[in-house]
Amino acid sequence: MLKQRAAYMILLTLLMMVLAACVKTAEVTEATPQNQDTPVEERGTQSIEHLKGTSVVPQKIERMVVLSAAYIDHMLTIGEKPAGVNVEVRYGGDYLPYLADQLAGVPMVGSADSPNLEAILQIDPDVIVIESRTAENSYEQLEKIAPTIVLGNEWSDYEDDTTYWTQDLLTIAGMYNKVDLAKEKIAEVEQQAEQLRTEMEQLDQKNLAYLRVREKNLQIYAAKGHPTNTLLYHDLGFVPTAVTPAEQREDLSMEKIADIDADFVVLEVDPNAEDYLNSINASSLWKEVPAVGTDQVYTTDSFWLFKGWGAIGRSDIIDEVKGMIQ
């Protein structure tokens, strides 16, 4: 009798263990769909919409490679250091000078037109950010290395939006949950521009020609169509000259130089353009330009073309312009 009772107790215990296991399995089975419904952000990732669709990247980005001078500026603006950056061939394949101090030690990964895939692979990035022009030839290869975000429609779509340069900055800031910081930086640059515009309103003469000396010709930039142009003519209040085109830069023949009714000239000089610059300076027509006679010609390089796209660069331009007019 005792043996039967013991056997019964053992059987009952085993039955209870089986039932408990079934209940636990059912709980796990019911929990599985709930885990699948957990928001993406809670699982440590975020979805980014861009020109090539939607990419899923880590919620906390540790290593971002950027292949655009503008995006380097954007990252540094919000206090983030890139894990890898493109170089500019025209500056000897090095960092852009105005950002160089903040980029010390950051790996260089080729140009935007010809990225060094092996160098990018060695970085093991969480995400790669490129412009649409880079995507034309390299998107598929870069996407195999890491999720690749394609931003920017280039200035062909800039039209009349004078705040266009802020769009990619805000997108990158959003990836780091720093949109508020980005907006603060944008507001600071806008305030800086407004203060200088107030000073410029006191000037009686403020016609500006923004010129580029190339290897074999001279070009004049338009009044809009690029964020540097709109910074000068819209935000700061310079007045376009009679020969300044409205939307697209144009070649300017030697015969047209005398028609430049500019009180200020920004003269951007390509690295290989010294000979043509010398021929311009030697021209009697050049000496007829008002800014030449009053020594108001400001010689720069194409940094301004890069600087116009970022908060750090725009702030630099404003400081340089302030030095021009004082």
Side-chain angles (χ1 to χ4, degrees):
M1 186 72 177
L2 290 173
K3 290 182 178 180
Q4 289 179 346
R5 184 179 180 83
Y8 175 77
M9 293 299 294
I10 292 171
L11 182 62
L12 183 61
T13 301
L14 290 172
L15 181 60
M16 292 177 66
M17 291 175 64
V18 169
L19 289 172
C22 290
V23 170
K24 187 174 182 180
T25 300
E27 289 175 350
V28 172
T29 302
E30 291 175 0
T32 299
Q34 294 176 0
N35 289 339
Q36 290 176 343
D37 291 339
T38 301
V40 171
E41 290 77 6
E42 294 182 15
R43 297 205 303 267
T45 59
Q46 55 179 315
S47 296
I48 307 298
E49 293 185 6
H50 58 99
L51 295 179
K52 285 287 187 178
T54 302
S55 294
V56 178
V57 304
Q59 183 70 27
K60 182 174 176 57
I61 297 171
E62 301 287 348
R63 297 176 303 281
M64 179 185 284
V65 169
V66 290
L67 300 180
S68 164
Y71 305 159
I72 299 170
D73 192 307
H74 296 339
M75 287 192 69
L76 295 174
T77 293
I78 59 172
E80 298 291 339
K81 199 167 187 176
V85 297
N86 65 299
V87 297
E88 297 299 332
V89 176
R90 74 183 78 180
Y91 300 118
D94 206 341
Y95 303 129
L96 276 178
Y98 87 98
L99 299 173
D101 289 347
Q102 299 182 68
L103 293 174
V106 174
M108 294 178 282
V109 294
S111 68
D113 295 328
S114 183
N116 185 331
L117 301 178
E118 183 177 350
I120 297 173
L121 188 61
Q122 289 177 354
I123 294 171
D124 187 25
D126 299 317
V127 60
I128 303 168
V129 184
I130 63 176
E131 295 178 335
S132 54
R133 65 185 180 93
T134 303
E136 292 176 3
N137 298 317
S138 304
Y139 177 74
E140 288 76 13
Q141 295 167 301
L142 293 168
E143 179 70 12
K144 292 176 182 177
I145 298 174
T148 301
I149 309 298
V150 184
L151 302 178
N153 290 303
E154 307 304 323
W155 46 84
S156 59
D157 293 333
Y158 190 81
E159 297 181 349
D160 293 325
D161 182 5
T162 59
T163 65
Y164 184 82
W165 68 274
T166 67
Q167 294 180 13
D168 291 341
L169 168 56
L170 292 171
T171 298
I172 290 174
M175 295 167 68
Y176 286 94
N177 196 27
K178 290 187 174 183
V179 170
D180 288 344
L181 176 59
K183 288 181 178 179
E184 288 178 14
K185 297 297 184 180
I186 292 168
E188 288 174 6
V189 175
E190 290 176 342
Q191 183 179 19
Q192 185 184 7
E194 182 60 32
Q195 288 174 347
L196 182 55
R197 184 185 179 94
T198 300
E199 291 184 34
M200 290 196 55
E201 288 174 353
Q202 308 305 313
L203 299 178
D204 294 328
Q205 299 172 319
K206 48 192 172 187
N207 284 14
L208 173 77
Y210 181 16
L211 307 174
R212 182 174 183 177
V213 184
R214 314 209 70 165
E215 184 177 7
K216 296 182 179 179
N217 67 315
L218 178 66
Q219 293 182 324
I220 182 166
Y221 283 104
K224 57 182 181 178
H226 188 285
T228 300
N229 301 356
T230 52
L231 171 61
L232 295 172
Y233 295 110
H234 178 272
D235 296 2
L236 298 182
F238 280 111
V239 177
T241 68
V243 293
T244 297
E247 297 183 359
Q248 296 287 338
R249 69 185 178 194
E250 296 178 357
D251 290 344
L252 204 61
S253 66
M254 279 288 192
E255 291 74 19
K256 280 282 188 180
I257 287 179
D259 295 332
I260 302 174
D261 56 330
D263 306 303
F264 298 92
V265 169
V266 174
L267 196 63
E268 177 184 303
V269 183
D270 283 5
N272 57 354
E274 287 300 320
D275 289 344
Y276 201 80
L277 176 62
N278 291 335
S279 66
I280 291 173
N281 286 330
S283 168
S284 59
L285 296 175
W286 178 245
K287 294 178 175 60
E288 295 181 21
V289 176
V292 176
T294 57
D295 197 25
Q296 294 290 347
V297 177
Y298 182 82
T299 302
T300 181
D301 44 40
S302 50
F303 296 160
W304 276 28
L305 288 182
F306 296 107
K307 286 181 174 182
W309 286 99
I312 297 172
R314 291 174 79 85
S315 179
D316 282 358
I317 291 175
I318 294 168
D319 284 340
E320 293 177 52
V321 171
K322 190 169 185 176
M324 285 172 50
I325 68 170
Q326 291 180 341

